[in-house]
Amino acid sequence: VFHRDVHCTTCHQANGQGIPGTYPPLAGSHIATGTPELPIAIVLHGLSGPITVEGKTYNNLMTAWGPMYNDVQVAAVLTYVRSQWGNSAPPVTAAQVAAVRAKTSARKMPWTWAELQAFKF
């Protein structure tokens, strides 16, 4: 899914390096490879406003992909991201995505980083 649809690679690039000053890298990202609930929530509902990744601040908008992708597809994208470009994190399961989707189902707007950090998954 990451490479088939241009949505991911347009912003984060096929090499996971992102676009400097615009879209953050996924390669080496503590957000992408940390607790799976954070990247799941970001993919499902989007992210808006400033975020710091690997010491650099990005301030843009990530689209919410939850309405477009099912749980299996979201899990596949995140499993790929968490295992490529030197990243080494456990896979994400469709059950994990379903749990986050259910817990955040009332969410109608993209997250801010502060909201994500405060949310109790």
Side-chain angles (χ1 to χ4, degrees):
V1 174
F2 188 91
H3 289 287
R4 183 188 71 216
D5 293 334
V6 296
H7 302 109
C8 301
T9 57
T10 297
C11 298
H12 297 290
Q13 304 296 293
N15 62 7
Q17 294 301 311
I19 299 174
T22 307
Y23 298 106
L26 299 175
S29 167
H30 66 284
I31 297 166
T33 59
T35 179
E37 289 81 7
L38 287 177
I40 292 169
I42 291 169
V43 171
L44 290 177
H45 301 290
L47 183 68
S48 178
I51 187 168
T52 301
V53 178
E54 304 310 311
K56 295 183 180 162
T57 301
Y58 300 84
N59 190 359
N60 216 315
L61 173 68
M62 178 169 163
T63 301
W65 297 110
M68 184 174 186
Y69 294 123
N70 65 37
D71 296 344
V72 171
Q73 291 169 313
V74 171
V77 166
L78 290 173
T79 295
Y80 178 82
V81 166
R82 291 164 61 87
S83 66
Q84 295 299 301
W85 319 298
N87 292 344
S88 179
V92 172
T93 67
Q96 288 172 306
V97 176
V100 173
R101 192 185 293 269
K103 189 154 189 173
T104 62
S105 64
R107 183 110 197 139
K108 302 298 179 217
M109 299 292 293
W111 298 97
T112 66
W113 183 238
E115 289 172 328
L116 269 173
Q117 290 181 305
F119 194 82
K120 302 295 183 211
F121 291 99

